[in-house]
């Protein structure tokens, strides 16, 4: 098979490319490198283009035969989305409309889409099932909800099959394949803890230790990025086999507290990690954990790597990332 991966130069997209190549598929990446990395697409065919530009992507993609599209390209910083709502709607929603316009023109029928737990907003139940109401509390989550609606509407016309995969927290890396997380700014907990442990000037604050959770810190649902990549390939195979429109959580169904994540990082690093306890951040629910049953039923997928494996891979990657940064500077 030959697949198009939008956002393939990014963190999760580059791991999906790894997974596809490991299964002997052909891969073409479309990316504007606004947050992606050139080293992450080494050896792959790359179309450098911005999805917001329909007249730019149309000639670049015309006449290409792809068996399916993995659509990851998006902006995903919650704070930035509040400051730049139009940019987020243009990039995420218009970008998706443009991609699907070309997909329909070219006859590519199957699309696996990166959605997010941010479509749910504040949880009303301890585990968040796919049937939970969609009440996103930030612009980023709103754009993802609209992107799902767009795909559903096109599917209803009979032209497209789609799987919207709602990730909770992607984490971990593939240091043996020189792939891992590198966002600037980095807003995710695990890479920030590890950057600080490796010597960066990162003041680590745990935001609140008085939540109604066993150790008082927030609980989040982390899945290793290679497990996510595996789920994407399974979702694409489902679309090839059975078509349809699917909305599936990708989570581990248990969650880990901030203190548990910190302890796992300390074990990986082999040292204690300096931190302070700060006040709660507004808008941070105590617990965001997926009901993960449906993905198991529909895709035969469950995450195979736990927290310690996630953190150890991220720590090994952090050593590599620092060397890479040194070489690129
Ligand atoms: N990282 C997570 O924990 C997480 C959780 C839930 C959902 N997601 C979603 O997964 C996807 C990938 O996340 P990531 O962490 O790998 O992000 P990332 O920023 O590393 O990757 C996004 C990629 O898309 C590219 N891109 C963005 N806008 C583009 C455009 N207009 N045209 C072409 N390319 C464009 C960027 O250059 C980058 O390579 C995103 O859609 C994100 O919303 C991520």
């Amino acid at each position: 098979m030959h697949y198009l991966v939008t956002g393939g130069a990014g963190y999760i997209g580059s791991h999906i490319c790894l997974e596809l190549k490991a299964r002997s598929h052909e891969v073409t990446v479309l990316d504007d490198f606004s947050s992606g990395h050139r080293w992450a697409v080494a050896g792959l065919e790359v179309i450098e283009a911005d999805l917001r530009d329909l007249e730019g992507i149309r000639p670049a993609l015309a006449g290409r035969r792809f068996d399916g599209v993995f659509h990851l390209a998006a902006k995903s910083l919650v704070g930035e989305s509040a400051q730049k709502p139009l940019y987020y709607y243009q990039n995420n929603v218009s970008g998706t409309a443009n991609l699907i316009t070309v997909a329909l023109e070219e006859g590519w029928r199957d699309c696996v889409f990166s959605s997010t737990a941010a479509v749910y907003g504040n949880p009303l139940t301890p585990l968040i099932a796919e049937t939970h109401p969609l009440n996103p509390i930030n612009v980023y989550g709103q754009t993802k909800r609209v992107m799902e609606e767009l795909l559903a509407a096109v599917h209803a016309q009979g032209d497209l099959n789609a799987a919207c995969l709602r990730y909770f927290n992607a984490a971990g890396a593939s240091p043996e394949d020189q792939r891992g997380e590198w966002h600037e700014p980095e807003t995710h907990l695990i890479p920030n803890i590890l950057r600080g442990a490796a010597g960066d000037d990162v003041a680590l604050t745990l935001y609140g230790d008085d939540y109604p959770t066993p150790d008082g810190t927030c609980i989040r649902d982390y899945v290793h990025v290679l497990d996510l990549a595996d789920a994407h390939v399974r979702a694409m195979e489902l679309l090839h086999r059975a078509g349809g429109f699917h909305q599936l959580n990708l989570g581990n169904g248990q969650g880990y507290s901030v203190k548990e994540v910190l302890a796992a990082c300390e074990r990986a690093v082999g040292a204690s990690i300096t931190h302070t306890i700060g006040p709660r951040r507004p808008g941070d629910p105590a617990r965001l954990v997926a009901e993960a049953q449906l993905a198991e039923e529909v895709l035969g997928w469950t995450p195979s790597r736990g927290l310690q494996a996630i953190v150890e891979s991220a720590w090994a990657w952090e050593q590599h990332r620092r060397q890479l940064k040194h070489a690129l500077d």
Side-chain angles (χ1 to χ4, degrees):
M1 298 287 183
H2 191 165
Y3 293 111
L4 180 67
V5 182
T6 77
Y11 168 47
I12 302 170
S14 61
H15 284 84
I16 291 173
C17 294
L18 274 184
E19 187 69 30
L20 291 170
K21 293 300 284 184
R23 299 185 193 199
S24 303
H25 297 304
E26 291 299 312
V27 175
T28 298
V29 167
L30 185 150
D31 204 293
D32 67 355
F33 293 95
S34 54
S35 62
H37 302 275
R38 291 183 197 277
W39 51 260
V41 290
L44 299 177
E45 184 194 18
V46 177
I47 297 170
E48 185 167 350
D50 183 341
L51 284 178
R52 289 175 299 172
D53 176 14
L54 179 59
E55 296 318 318
I57 61 168
R58 196 177 247 144
L61 293 169
R64 301 297 304 258
R65 305 280 319 153
F66 293 116
D67 295 289
V69 181
F70 295 88
H71 178 34
L72 291 99
K75 293 288 147 197
S76 53
L77 294 173
V78 168
E80 185 184 57
S81 77
Q83 287 151 8
K84 300 180 181 174
L86 284 175
Y87 173 58
Y88 268 66
Y89 273 88
Q90 280 158 358
N91 197 81
N92 295 0
V93 177
S94 303
T96 300
N98 290 342
L99 174 69
I100 299 305
T101 299
V102 176
L104 298 190
E105 287 168 358
E106 299 300 322
W108 315 328
R109 289 185 62 83
D110 294 339
C111 177
V112 175
F113 167 60
S114 288
S115 190
T116 167
V119 297
Y120 295 117
N122 288 323
L124 305 174
T125 46
L127 291 180
I128 304 175
E130 288 82 352
T131 49
H132 186 286
L134 303 187
N135 293 315
I137 56 168
N138 52 59
V139 171
Y140 164 61
Q142 289 165 4
T143 65
K144 289 279 172 171
R145 182 181 63 183
V146 176
M147 292 154 92
E148 286 197 14
E149 289 168 354
L150 185 160
L151 294 173
V154 178
H155 167 73
Q157 290 298 306
D159 296 330
L160 187 78
N161 305 309
C164 304
L165 303 182
R166 296 173 178 163
Y167 327 151
F168 281 61
N169 296 82
S174 306
E176 56 288 353
D177 289 304
Q178 281 97 49
R179 296 287 185 280
E181 188 164 16
W182 188 349
H183 295 119
E184 298 291 355
E186 185 54 76
T187 58
H188 295 140
L189 178 66
I190 292 172
N192 271 329
I193 293 177
L194 296 176
R195 283 185 188 192
D200 280 5
D201 189 16
V202 178
L204 179 63
T205 305
L206 311 191
Y207 296 106
D209 66 351
D210 57 351
Y211 283 94
T213 59
D215 67 18
T217 60
C218 288
I219 294 177
R220 297 290 180 266
D221 190 332
Y222 295 88
V223 173
H224 195 288
V225 65
L226 282 176
D227 283 327
L228 286 184
D230 175 44
H232 283 71
V233 179
R234 287 170 186 255
M236 184 61 83
E237 289 167 356
L238 170 70
L239 296 181
H240 292 340
R241 202 170 56 240
F245 179 77
H246 310 269
Q247 291 159 312
L248 299 170
N249 287 341
L250 296 184
N252 69 40
Q254 290 182 12
Y256 305 106
S257 75
V258 173
K259 280 188 178 166
E260 285 175 317
V261 170
L262 179 63
C265 289
E266 288 180 327
R267 282 193 294 276
V269 169
S272 63
I273 295 172
T274 310
H275 62 277
T276 54
I277 308 289
R280 294 183 182 193
R281 282 185 305 196
D284 256 354
R287 197 179 144 85
L288 282 175
V289 179
E291 165 60 67
Q293 198 62 39
L294 192 59
E296 185 173 355
E297 285 168 22
V298 175
L299 304 178
W301 175 87
T302 48
S304 64
R305 301 160 182 87
L307 178 62
Q308 199 59 40
I310 287 173
V311 164
E312 277 166 19
S313 70
W315 178 236
W317 160 252
E318 179 57 20
Q319 318 306 311
H320 179 78
R321 191 189 70 84
R322 300 174 84 77
Q323 288 171 6
L324 190 56
K325 186 171 188 315
H326 188 66
L328 293 172
D329 279 349

